[in-house]
Amino acid sequence: MLDAYILPVIQGKVFISFHFLNFLTAFQSFEVAIGKDIIDVTLIARRCTRRNGTRMWRRGADADGYVANFVESEQILQFKGYTASFVQVRGSIPFLWDQIVDLSYKPKFEILKPEIAPRVAESHFFDLRKKYGNVLAIDLVNTHGDEGRLTETFATSVQNILNDDLRYYHFDFHKICGHVHFEHLSILYDQIEDFLIKNRYYLLNDKGEKSDTQIGIVRTNCIDCLDRTNVTQSMIGRKMMEYQLQRLGIFDAEETINTYPSFDDCFKILWANHGDDISIQYSGTPALKGDFVRFGYRTIKGILIDGWNALMRYYLNNFVDGTKQDSVDLVQGNYIVSTSRDKASGLKKEGMEAIAPLFPLVLGVILMGIVFALLSLMQVGNDFWQLPLSIFWATMSIVIIKCVLANGRAFCNRPRLNKPTR
């Protein structure tokens, strides 16, 4: 009854297609000629609304198994009336865990309520199997270090529900591919090729009749489900499109997308832009490792851009995203405004949080102390009494730094509506 008064909102990139004279939302598309044939390729991202938010304030799953940064990517090929579609998904590791910002570059992961992790994972994969059929979960997280605890818990949580319909495969992306050898993803593909072929893809013939259907899904995750995940999904999408083009008779058995440079370039840009859009929504910056997706190899410029984007993520995560998370929760109805409650609480900051807005001033005092310490040290040769003065300024800076780091979480920009428990 209220449909006429409701405005649907889609989070994504708006694109105007002059071919259809319509406004189309949340997708990337290109046309390319292969000989005399023209094919259309489209890539659509659909983000789940159940656990939306920012990178550091929405991690893992909730108690019902809904995960953060869950995105369904549908790759569509159209040619002479034929339509082929292949779907894959990404989503955070499906149990309760978080990574609360505290001014450190990489805050520690915290696994919450590990005793219910198997139940949460089971709920998550039950939902996936109901929607998509068979599931292959690819975990790209590191085996060792802090990430290793997450992948160990993931593997343990699903071990009792694995069967022919649900498979789990761990692939240590950083160990096998490092930071430049992404061609080693062929090792992963060799392990999952059988699943991809058996679970097929959706296909309509030139009469609009269904010729084939996809009966399973590949679910990929890393920590953020952004950088490593997008590189891996683009590889899987490329392989599946080559199968489709061979079946439609556009490619010979030995031909690949690489055979046609213009097609290859457009396909790389398609997936690079796709990854950037998803990453900007979740982390605030374009995806890392995007130069490999865009060009097929790592570049010095791409590595430098990754460094800049990593620094930007640090800044946004620590000093901006708490307020952004409040905005998301308010728009999605995760926080219901109550005049009496909000007026009574005033959403006041308490304790160390009350001085968090003074962080720029504190940082200025630290920098001033360091500069004065260096200037005094440079004058020691002319005036010995500059040495204790230098020690004083250095000691003051160190003490303030330790105080700030000890209370790092209080100095960060935190959500104030749905406040974190830690």
Side-chain angles (χ1 to χ4, degrees), residues 184-196:
H184 292 170
L185 279 172
S186 60
I187 298 171
L188 170 62
Y189 180 72
D190 290 341
Q191 298 296 319
I192 67 173
E193 182 180 17
D194 182 62
F195 179 90
L196 293 171

Side-chain angles (χ1 to χ4, degrees), residues 399-420:
V399 170
I400 296 175
I401 289 172
K402 287 188 174 182
C403 181
V404 169
L405 292 179
N407 298 277
R409 290 183 180 178
F411 283 94
C412 293
N413 181 245
R414 298 163 64 87
R416 297 176 62 194
L417 300 182
N418 292 322
K419 293 186 177 181

Side-chain angles (χ1 to χ4, degrees), residues 74 266 362 379:
E74 182 177 9
C266 289
V362 175
Q379 298 297 321

